[in-house]
């Protein structure tokens, strides 16, 4: 019997991911034997799993039956949702970088070393803001004198984007969507402020690094390979320590006034009564559902996402604004909240399928559908600010989730009046009847709940 | 020793050479590590030595390992 091989799992000859009867497994090729056995034998696996830095797995007894030619088949613990670095806020990428360095230091203590430092190998599975490594086959025995093979990847995937986000603009994070193997260092070097060439961390790891890559990029034509210059163990530890201070030195504070939505909850038209009524309305509508995975679209700082996540529902809180996502993430981390994953997502241009044949990184839709989609105070932004016909909004929501809790905000609501103040009203169909008619073609309307103290209505709908 | 970081900064300011089409970014990364490892290894040794001196005079929490990845 052989499962279906995952389309993104082709780079690594030592193993691949496949699914069989809906369960995700990893095939370990005979070539991975030495590395995998060393990971388990040295106690590194136990140490990392104990610290929550590595995704646990179980070895399967019937390896040969599950996958032909496998040395072993392992079953990694299931991730409720996979996120990508271009969807993370600043602190998520920073924490992922620190986790990678921590894993590498612990690996060295156990005589092992990371051979990949890809940001895609890090996930935030259980909320709490604690990132962990998901790639069990990332380790190899450490050989004294060898440089860190993943050094360049670490600088491209973590240091360069974080430096640009911190020293230029936080929106550089979205560049990772274009540069799928991290930001090339010559590119980062050209984009960073000139003064960073004086920074004791960015000068060597980004600027000098880019220069060395150019100067020695044509090594194949420079004649027979030179003898590899050794990097002592202390030297390697020094580099890791320098990288750690470089990452810790990069900061970004979500500024006031700079954000689209960061201060939204201080800047709404809700009375306390409406706020309370909306909250209890969403709670009541959610009570009849028993989802495993929820998407909160336009979640802002996650006020309403928490209604679900605090019930133990794995909730992904998407927002277009990096400030709101940053605040949400910091709150998750501070309170060690579980089941809540804040992510950056522009719904008018959601994450597409990326990489080779569009299959290496899944689109948002490809990672769904969620059991329930929350769309509160969102539809008027899509319909009015983005000229999206309600039928198209309903259509996309139906592709993202099976159940829907959605809020309709009428035209005479002061927030919609604000949107219409600076544009011509070309939205004759934006009425409650028009909304129900459009969504009714895709969903069956199960429940309506007016939000007291406002003109708004909450709906619970099921996909047809 | 203190002028070595300055030297690294100076190298970062040198004018760039033209890039070629068949670039191999790996070789430069390995060679760079060999260079900076000397400086950064020495700095780490100094740092660890300084921490030992400091902890001789000031008592610090024995093990901050578990919250090393938290702020």
């Amino acid at each position: 019997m052989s499962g279906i091989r995952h389309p993104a799992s082709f780079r690594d000859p030592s193993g691949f991911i496949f699914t069989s009867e809906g369960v995700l497994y990893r095939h370990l090729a005979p070539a991975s034997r030495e590395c995998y056995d060393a990971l388990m034998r040295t106690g590194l696996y136990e140490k990392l799993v104990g610290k929550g830095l590595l995704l646990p797995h179980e070895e399967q007894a019937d390896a040969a039956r599950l996958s032909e030619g496998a040395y072993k088949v392992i079953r990694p613990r299931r991730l409720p949702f996979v996120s990508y670095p271009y969807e993370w806020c600043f602190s998520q990428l920073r924490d992922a970088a620190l986790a990678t360095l921590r894993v590498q230091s612990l690996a060295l203590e156990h005589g092992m070393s990371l051979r990949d430092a890809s940001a895609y190998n890090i996930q935030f599975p259980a909320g709490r803001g604690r990132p962990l490594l998901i790639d069990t086959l990332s380790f190899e025995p450490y050989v004294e004198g060898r440089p860190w093979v993943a050094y360049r990847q670490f600088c491209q995937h973590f240091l360069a984007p974080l430096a640009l986000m911190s020293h230029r603009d936080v929106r550089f994070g979205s560049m990772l969507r274009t540069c799928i193997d991290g930001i090339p260092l010559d590119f980062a070097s050209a984009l960073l402020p000139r003064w960073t060439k004086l920074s004791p961390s960015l000068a060597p790891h980004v600027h000098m690094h880019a220069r060395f890559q150019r100067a020695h990029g044509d090594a194949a034509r420079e004649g027979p390979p030179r003898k590899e210059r050794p990097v002592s163990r202390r030297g390697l530890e020094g580099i890791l320590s320098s990288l750690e201070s470089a990452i810790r030195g990069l900061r970004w504070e979500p500024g006031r006034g700079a954000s689209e939505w960061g201060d939204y909850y201080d800047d709404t038209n809700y009375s306390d009564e409406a706020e309370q009524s909306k909250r209890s309305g969403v709670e009541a509508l959610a009570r009849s559902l028993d989802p495993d995975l929820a998407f909160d679209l336009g979640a802002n700082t996650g006020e309403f996402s928490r209604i679900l996540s605090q019930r133990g529902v794995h909730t992904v809180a998407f927002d277009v604004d990096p400030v709101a996502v940053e605040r949400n993430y910091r709150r998750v981390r501070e309170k060690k909240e579980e089941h809540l994953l804040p992510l950056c997502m522009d719904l008018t241009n959601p994450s597409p399928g990326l990489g080779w044949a569009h299959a290496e990184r899944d689109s948002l839709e490809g990672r769904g559908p969620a059991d329930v989609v929350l769309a509160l105070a969102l539809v008027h932004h899509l319909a009015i600010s983005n000229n999206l016909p309600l039928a198209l909004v309903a259509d996309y929501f139906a592709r993202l989730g099976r159940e829907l809790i959605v809020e309709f905000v009428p035209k005479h609501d002061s927030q919609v009046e604000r949107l219409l103040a600076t544009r011509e009203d070309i939205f004759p169909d934006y009425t409650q009847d028009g909304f129900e008619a459009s969504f009714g073609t895709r969903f069956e309307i199960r429940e309506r709940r007016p939000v007291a103290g406002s003109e708004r209505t909450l709906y619970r709908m099921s996909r047809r | 020793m203190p002028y070595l970081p300055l030297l690294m900064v100076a190298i970062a300011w040198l004018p760039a050479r033209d890039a070629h089409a068949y670039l191999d970014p790996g070789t430069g990364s390995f060679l760079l590590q060999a260079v900076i490892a000397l400086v950064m290894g020495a700095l780490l040794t100094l740092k660890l030595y300084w921490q030992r001196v400091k902890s001789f005079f000031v008592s610090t929490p024995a093990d901050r390992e578990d919250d090393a990845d938290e702020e």
Side-chain angles (χ1 to χ4, degrees):
Chain A
M1 188 180 85
S2 224
I4 305 158
R5 195 165 162 155
H6 191 281
S9 191
F10 58 83
R11 285 194 207 283
D12 188 353
S14 59
F16 58 85
I17 303 279
F18 67 97
T19 44
S20 177
E21 289 165 15
V23 181
L24 194 98
Y25 296 101
R26 187 153 194 186
H27 167 113
L28 308 191
S32 67
R33 182 183 201 135
E34 188 197 352
C35 294
Y36 177 77
D37 286 353
L39 168 72
M40 306 308 286
R41 193 187 56 237
T42 54
L44 177 60
Y45 171 82
E46 217 170 306
K47 180 88 176 174
L48 290 174
V49 168
K51 288 192 170 293
L53 284 166
L54 179 66
L55 189 69
H57 68 255
E58 283 165 21
E59 285 182 18
Q60 302 298 297
D62 46 355
R65 188 185 65 84
L66 282 164
S67 190
E68 214 181 300
Y71 161 56
K72 272 192 169 121
V73 170
I74 58 172
R75 180 180 174 170
R77 183 182 290 173
R78 191 181 152 270
L79 295 167
F81 184 82
V82 171
S83 65
Y84 300 126
Y86 43 83
E87 296 163 349
W88 298 343
C89 66
F90 178 82
S91 289
Q92 283 170 314
L93 186 59
R94 188 174 177 273
D95 286 350
L98 292 173
T100 304
L101 291 174
R102 186 106 181 83
V103 168
Q104 170 66 352
S105 307
L106 289 166
L108 277 179
E109 282 175 20
H110 290 77
M112 304 282 287
S113 180
L114 271 180
R115 57 193 177 96
D116 295 295
S118 164
Y120 295 92
N121 283 347
I122 300 285
Q123 288 296 323
F124 293 82
R128 292 192 301 140
R130 295 292 294 266
L132 55 70
L133 180 75
I134 57 164
D135 186 8
T136 319
L137 295 184
S138 281
F139 299 94
E140 62 185 11
Y142 169 65
V143 179
E144 172 93 40
R146 286 202 60 196
W148 186 26
V149 286
Y151 171 63
R152 174 180 65 90
Q153 201 178 31
F154 182 86
C155 294
Q156 288 187 180
H157 281 227
F158 296 108
L159 185 60
L162 284 168
L164 285 168
M165 289 164 93
S166 171
H167 294 315
R168 276 288 183 216
D169 194 306
V170 77
R171 287 169 290 186
F172 267 113
S174 64
M175 236 175 93
L176 291 171
R177 187 152 131 178
T178 315
C179 305
I180 197 164
D181 193 25
I183 300 182
L185 297 176
D186 59 331
F187 196 16
S189 174
L191 288 168
L192 280 168
R194 282 171 77 86
W195 66 260
T196 58
K197 292 189 174 183
L198 293 171
S199 144
S201 54
L202 296 179
H205 298 305
V206 177
H207 297 294
M208 222 167 114
H209 200 162
R211 185 161 307 282
F212 266 65
Q213 285 182 333
R214 275 195 205 173
H216 303 284
D218 217 5
R221 283 174 61 177
E222 286 168 9
R226 279 174 271 187
K227 196 168 167 257
E228 207 173 77
R229 293 185 204 174
V231 175
S232 70
R233 169 140 189 174
R234 179 43 64 88
L236 181 54
E237 288 166 350
I239 292 172
L240 293 174
S241 159
S242 163
L243 285 172
E244 190 190 329
S245 13
I247 300 287
R248 286 195 188 279
L250 293 171
R251 303 206 159 251
W252 175 67
E253 284 308 317
R256 283 191 205 97
S259 149
E260 244 183 298
W261 306 108
D263 299 318
Y264 182 75
Y265 291 106
D266 309 324
D267 180 34
T268 54
N269 62 348
Y270 307 158
S271 57
D272 283 350
E273 183 199 4
E275 168 77 34
Q276 260 316 311
S277 168
K278 181 168 166 180
R279 169 167 284 277
S280 57
V282 175
E283 276 166 0
L285 293 178
R287 208 168 293 138
S288 52
L289 303 170
D290 185 24
D292 288 323
L293 178 66
F295 289 170
D296 186 356
L297 308 178
N300 200 293
T301 53
E303 290 302 313
F304 293 98
S305 321
R306 284 172 171 81
I307 291 175
L308 289 167
S309 68
Q310 285 169 358
R311 264 176 51 187
V313 180
H314 193 86
T315 307
V316 192
F318 297 105
D319 204 275
V320 65
D321 179 10
V323 171
V325 178
E326 177 77 23
R327 290 195 175 153
N328 196 358
Y329 176 68
R330 287 189 188 192
R331 193 166 139 196
V332 167
R333 202 177 49 179
E334 229 166 75
K335 305 242 159 86
K336 296 188 163 55
E337 286 180 79
E338 298 199 49
H339 311 300
L340 183 57
L341 176 65
L343 289 179
C344 299
M345 184 73 66
D346 178 357
L347 277 178
T348 63
N349 181 20
S351 296
L354 288 177
W356 178 250
H358 304 287
E360 281 187 79
R361 311 290 167 228
D362 221 344
S363 66
L364 171 63
E365 190 184 341
R367 285 172 277 165
D371 300 308
V372 59
V373 164
L374 241 62
L376 306 172
L378 173 69
V379 172
H380 59 292
H381 289 290
L382 298 175
I384 291 172
S385 309
N386 292 284
N387 289 18
L388 274 161
L390 288 170
L392 293 190
V393 178
D395 186 55
Y396 190 51
F397 284 4
R399 280 149 60 186
L400 290 180
R402 298 185 183 91
E403 303 284 333
L404 174 67
I405 294 176
V406 60
E407 180 182 24
F408 179 76
V409 184
K411 257 187 200 169
H412 44 267
D413 186 281
S414 67
Q415 295 296 89
V416 179
E417 281 175 347
R418 253 167 92 174
L419 292 180
L420 283 168
T422 50
R423 54 172 65 79
E424 197 189 341
D425 185 355
I426 49 162
F427 312 100
D429 300 329
Y430 189 83
T431 60
Q432 188 135 4
D433 288 343
F435 170 80
E436 288 190 10
S438 297
F439 275 70
T441 60
R442 286 283 166 195
F443 293 92
E444 200 164 319
I445 297 174
R446 303 273 190 198
E447 248 182 291
R448 289 178 188 80
R449 288 182 74 100
V451 177
S454 80
E455 305 285 332
R456 303 173 169 212
T457 312
L458 291 167
Y459 291 86
R460 181 169 71 81
M461 306 181 182
S462 307
R463 190 161 77 178
R464 283 188 193 277
Chain B
M1 178 61 56
Y3 59 81
L4 276 171
L6 287 176
L7 181 68
M8 296 193 323
V9 166
I11 292 175
W13 275 90
L14 288 173
R17 260 174 38 181
D18 287 339
H20 299 279
Y22 291 90
L23 282 184
D24 156 42
T27 308
S29 292
F30 283 6
L31 289 172
L32 173 69
Q33 285 185 74
V35 176
I36 62 177
L38 299 173
V39 185
M40 290 172 181
L43 288 174
L44 178 64
T45 305
L46 283 178
K47 187 175 145 189
L48 295 176
Y49 185 70
W50 173 241
Q51 276 172 0
R52 270 169 59 190
V53 172
K54 215 166 67 175
S55 66
F56 184 76
F57 293 106
V58 193
S59 67
T60 47
D63 188 9
R64 53 161 227 124
E65 192 190 15
D66 279 321
D67 49 48
D69 42 9
E70 292 175 15
E71 294 292 294

